[in-house]
Amino acid sequence: MKSKPYITSVLCGSILLGCMGCTSDMEPLSTTVYPSLPEDVIVTTETSASETSSETTRERFFDEWPIDEKATAMCGNYLEGYDSFEVTSEDLVDGAWADAISNSLIGNDSSPQLSWVPVDGAAMYAIYMVDTDSNRWLIWKSIATETELEQGWAPKAEYNGPHLGHGHTHIYEIYVIALKEPVERLKGAVDGVNPKLEEFLNGLDIDSEGNDGNIIAVGKISGTYGDIRNKDI
């Protein structure tokens, strides 16, 4: 979505008026460029002195952003066809994740509590948590040998909790993958988009000698999270 020429004209005109001097009763013109958005997107809105310009500008921008240009892509339901086992979490209540797992003003940025029954023959477990509404955005990536993980178990380098803006609600899926042979590391970038996430997950089925069948079973747990009180607002 490209900015229209008249926006540049208005901005230049405002700068000129500022240099020449203006009356105190003129309402300010708020122009904000968002670094996380496309570089050519400029949002210009008029706000009164009583309004919080950053919040108003942000909300009006997202409300008017065409849905087909939003940086979202539904994904999920990975690793189907494998044997399954149950994974539970005390931080998932009535289908919603607790505030504590979020990286927000009301959260602790703590990885969710997880537990499952040990899988026969498993040498280790790979844990992935994915925002299924944000183009394979990875929240959590860890290797575990135990089957009871307390809240906040994951190191900060391996976990960055949900941090949505403008009151959006997304689905977050956790995959616990029981592996026959251990792996040295898990592929994928935490707190970032992972276009090859499905390839990374399926690749765990191949052991160090190139043989398939390394995934014994997969546990999955899913819930929603949404909050408008975030650190970036």
Side-chain angles (χ1 to χ4, degrees):
M1 181 176 63
K2 297 181 182 294
S3 57
K4 298 188 181 296
Y6 72 81
I7 295 180
T8 304
S9 300
V10 172
L11 178 58
C12 293
S14 298
I15 295 174
L16 181 60
L17 285 174
C19 295
M20 297 173 60
C22 55
T23 59
S24 59
D25 60 347
M26 290 183 65
E27 293 188 345
L29 184 66
S30 172
T31 302
T32 305
V33 178
Y34 295 96
S36 60
L37 301 172
E39 293 182 356
D40 61 342
V41 174
I42 298 177
V43 184
T44 304
T45 61
E46 291 185 358
T47 59
S48 67
S50 62
E51 290 180 314
T52 303
S53 60
S54 61
E55 289 190 24
T56 303
T57 302
R58 191 180 184 89
E59 289 183 6
R60 289 179 183 175
F61 174 77
F62 280 103
D63 286 341
E64 297 170 2
W65 200 358
I67 191 167
D68 60 341
E69 294 184 30
K70 289 182 179 179
T72 59
M74 294 298 294
C75 54
N77 296 321
Y78 300 117
L79 298 172
E80 294 184 330
Y82 290 97
D83 290 340
S84 63
F85 58 93
E86 183 181 12
V87 178
T88 61
S89 176
E90 296 173 357
D91 293 313
L92 185 65
V93 179
D94 296 329
W97 293 107
D99 288 327
I101 78 160
S102 71
N103 184 6
S104 70
L105 290 176
I106 59 174
N108 300 326
D109 198 21
S110 299
S111 59
Q113 184 276 337
L114 294 180
S115 60
W116 62 92
V117 175
V119 177
D120 290 340
M124 61 163 283
Y125 302 89
I127 301 171
Y128 280 87
M129 185 173 185
V130 186
D131 180 343
T132 67
D133 295 298
S134 290
N135 205 13
R136 300 169 180 83
W137 191 277
L138 197 57
I139 299 295
W140 184 8
K141 181 190 69 174
S142 287
I143 292 174
T145 54
E146 60 265 52
T147 60
E148 294 284 341
L149 309 182
E150 63 183 10
Q151 186 189 95
W153 173 89
K156 292 301 181 183
E158 299 177 359
Y159 182 83
N160 192 315
H163 43 284
L164 301 174
H166 190 49
H168 292 293
T169 297
H170 287 189
I171 298 173
Y172 295 86
E173 294 180 344
I174 294 179
Y175 294 85
V176 179
I177 309 162
L179 301 177
K180 187 183 301 182
E181 298 291 336
V183 296
E184 293 184 0
R185 70 181 185 90
L186 300 178
K187 295 182 179 180
V190 175
D191 196 27
V193 173
N194 290 262
K196 295 184 178 181
L197 181 60
E198 189 167 8
E199 177 183 324
F200 296 158
L201 295 177
N202 289 322
L204 293 172
D205 195 46
I206 309 300
D207 63 22
S208 59
E209 298 181 354
N211 302 311
D212 59 9
N214 198 41
I215 295 179
I216 302 172
V218 178
K220 175 183 172 183
I221 187 170
S222 178
T224 61
Y225 187 77
D227 177 48
I228 62 172
R229 295 162 289 182
N230 292 280
K231 291 181 178 179
D232 62 344
I233 294 181

